[in-house]
Amino acid sequence: MIKGDTSVYGLVGNNIKGSLSPIIHNYLSDYYCINSVYTTFNVDTDIKVAIDGAKALNIQGLNVTMPYKEDVMPFVEVEKTAKIIGAVNTLKFTDNGYVGHNTDWYGIIKTITINNIDVENKDILIVGAGGSAFAVAYALAKLKPRKIYIQNRTKEKAVAIANLLHNLFEGEIIVVNNTKNTQIHGIINTTPVGNNDSIDMMPVNIHGMSQLQFVIDIIYNPRKTKLLLECDKIGIKAINGFDMLVYQAIRSFEIWNDIVINDMEKSIHRNKLLNITNTMCL
Ligand code: ATR
């Protein structure tokens, strides 16, 4: 129940009405009997104004999503990993103001491991080069693929990801304009292409990729993008963004509440949340 001393958390971003984050975080605070509530704050103004307002209102923590994951960084103290990635998706209120963390990379590592995807020594393509792509690149580098390909509409941003990877990864890094004649074992789509605003579009053409074993699309609404439906048709493992969403959220929750949730409990939460959200209209 919301009381006078209930701590407030939330999501800042743009066009976030359909976010599942409130469901995840309110489920977690109920489960752990933590006196907090989580809601969404759609921000159309300058992100600094929103952060100053949140500070003034004593909001204890915020998740940050598109389009502010990078824009928010000058206004908070950025933790080491988030600094390397160059994007922040979690703010924790401290005596010195907000500290910015990145938990997206953890979400993608868990997505890969819990779905038994093997990326070691494989050739992987990252599609997109926004804040999420930097987190995906950071996570992938830890899992030691053989080559990482990066494809993005704006080539300079793909090159920026390659530059990040040069410091983290010993394998080959290749920026591509398209994937024609490129054999790839796995794809991670980080662009919004295929979401509800572009339901009939695919961010990459998978036909002719005879070595392709898996595709992760970080979109979770719709549950199956056209890209994932195409994978289903030809028997390629197709994973949506739900696991990434849940695991980055659980990691944010751990940071906010200074707790460690073990892997078994995390997986129970993931399964319960999947059941809860599977019956919802997204
Ligand atoms: P996030 O922080 O969640 O990664 P973002 O920073 O807006 O979101 O990045 C989205 C990525 O998807 C960007 O790489 C963007 O390409 P640009 O770098 O050219 O802007 C890519 N993207 C967005 N809409 C796209 C579209 N319609 N076609 C192709 N790529 C698109």
Side-chain angles (χ1 to χ4, degrees), residues 66 69-70 128-133 152-154 157 191-193:
M66 254 165 80
K69 285 181 186 181
E70 290 136 327
S132 305
N152 189 50
R153 183 175 60 180
T154 311
K157 289 209 222 159
T191 75
V193 178

Side-chain angles (χ1 to χ4, degrees), residues 115-117 212-216 228 231-232 235-239:
N115 289 291
N116 298 315
I117 293 170
L212 191 62
Q213 295 164 4
F214 74 88
V215 173
I216 299 172
L228 296 186
C231 291
D232 283 346
I236 290 165
K237 192 179 251 193
I239 309 293

Side-chain angles (χ1 to χ4, degrees), residues 41-108:
F41 301 103
N42 196 72
V43 174
D44 302 310
T45 161
D46 188 339
I47 188 66
K48 182 179 186 306
V49 174
I51 296 303
D52 287 345
K55 213 182 283 178
L57 292 172
N58 211 19
I59 289 174
Q60 293 298 297
L62 290 166
N63 283 132
V64 182
T65 190
M66 254 165 80
Y68 301 119
K69 285 181 186 181
E70 290 136 327
D71 296 356
V72 77
M73 292 177 71
F75 312 116
V76 302
E77 182 191 329
V78 181
E79 174 274 342
K80 198 172 102 229
T81 303
K83 208 174 269 175
I84 295 171
I85 293 171
V88 154
N89 74 319
T90 302
L91 304 182
K92 177 175 175 148
F93 194 61
T94 71
D95 292 342
N96 302 319
Y98 288 112
V99 177
H101 301 257
N102 188 299
T103 71
D104 283 335
W105 72 272
Y106 176 78
I108 197 74

